[in-house]
Amino acid sequence: MADNTYAPAEDGLFEGDIGDLTIPLRRALTMLLKQAYVSELDNADVYHTVLDERQELVRMLANLGLSLNVSTRYCVAWATQANVLGRNPLITLKANMPVSRDVSVLLVSLRVQQHAMEAQGAENWFVDREELESMLRSGPYKHDRDGRRVQTSLTTALNSLESMGYLKALNESKQRYRIMPILPAVFSLERTQELLREFEGLVAAQGAEGV
């Protein structure tokens, strides 16, 4: 049986299919709508389709009230809700979900650590669960004597960070994580400095001086 994965859309994927986009372009558009982002690390073919068909995707996303963002430095692309002045007549597709204090503290701490590793020449960035626990222990939970609260809070925060795509567990035990490239792409150093000031006393000062 022939592989029609990359067949032109005019061949039809289903009964009544009148779409005029190629299958790679459909995949890229769908993933930008469904997922938090696409990256060369996880979906190289889709990411390069975004680069090749960038203007077409910009046009299609604009019709839905969305903007296309691409970081060629970190090889990630993502869609965000466009800033419409006044009352938006369109349905919000990419709402910014509020995050907890613990998640926010970890995001800032992870960005500081990622920046330090990148400055030392590392192209891939990893963090252990113990390091993540230390980030909370030195900040919001420094008065947690028995460690029960920090463990519970850490598990909840890590689940959120994984679902948002900022971290990816490297094994089932979830003792080591990869810091995903969407983190530095979304959080500029300027924004990280603002958050450091906002979370003063909650984020470990060590390593933050170089940000």
Side-chain angles (χ1 to χ4, degrees):
M1 183 175 179
D3 183 1
N4 293 322
T5 304
Y6 294 103
E10 58 261 25
D11 287 356
L13 287 176
F14 49 87
E15 185 177 353
D17 181 9
I18 60 172
D20 59 357
L21 301 179
T22 63
I23 304 306
L25 190 50
R26 289 192 194 194
R27 281 175 53 81
L29 177 61
T30 303
M31 291 180 72
L32 286 168
L33 292 173
K34 183 179 181 180
Q35 299 182 179
Y37 63 92
V38 297
S39 70
E40 187 175 49
L41 183 64
D42 287 330
N43 305 102
D45 290 344
V46 176
Y47 172 72
H48 286 287
T49 297
V50 172
L51 296 184
D52 294 340
E53 303 286 353
R54 185 167 181 170
Q55 290 307 311
E56 183 67 8
L57 285 166
V58 166
R59 183 188 66 79
M60 289 186 288
L61 289 171
N63 283 324
L64 301 175
L66 301 172
S67 297
L68 177 63
N69 307 274
V70 178
S71 170
T72 54
R73 175 176 179 177
Y74 296 108
C75 300
V76 292
W78 67 101
T80 54
Q81 200 70 36
N83 183 23
V84 178
L85 297 178
R87 184 176 180 275
N88 189 351
L90 302 176
I91 295 174
T92 298
L93 296 175
K94 289 280 187 177
N96 291 324
M97 301 300 292
V99 297
S100 68
R101 178 199 62 176
D102 295 339
V103 170
S104 299
V105 168
L106 286 177
L107 281 172
V108 177
S109 300
L110 283 168
R111 181 62 172 101
V112 170
Q113 187 158 327
Q114 178 276 327
H115 172 65
M117 288 186 283
E118 185 179 10
Q120 293 172 0
E123 296 182 358
N124 298 294
W125 321 300
F126 302 97
V127 61
D128 292 327
R129 184 186 176 93
E130 290 182 358
E131 294 177 87
L132 291 159
E133 180 181 337
S134 178
M135 292 174 187
L136 288 185
R137 281 187 181 278
S138 61
Y141 296 93
K142 54 188 170 185
H143 300 302
D144 180 24
R145 295 182 179 178
D146 59 14
R148 293 180 181 177
R149 287 179 58 211
V150 71
Q151 286 293 337
T152 301
S153 299
L154 178 61
T155 297
T156 301
L158 289 178
N159 288 338
S160 296
L161 289 168
E162 280 194 273
S163 66
M164 290 186 289
Y166 292 114
L167 287 179
K168 184 175 183 179
L170 297 182
N171 47 49
E172 292 185 3
S173 65
K174 296 191 175 184
Q175 295 301 308
R176 188 167 175 78
Y177 294 83
R178 178 192 289 270
I179 301 174
M180 302 303 284
I182 187 64
L183 178 65
V186 170
F187 290 98
S188 66
L189 292 180
E190 291 76 17
R191 177 57 178 156
T192 304
Q193 289 172 337
E194 293 175 6
L195 292 171
L196 281 169
R197 290 191 291 269
E198 183 177 339
F199 290 107
E200 185 177 1
L202 293 180
V203 177
Q206 184 178 2
E209 295 84 357
V211 174

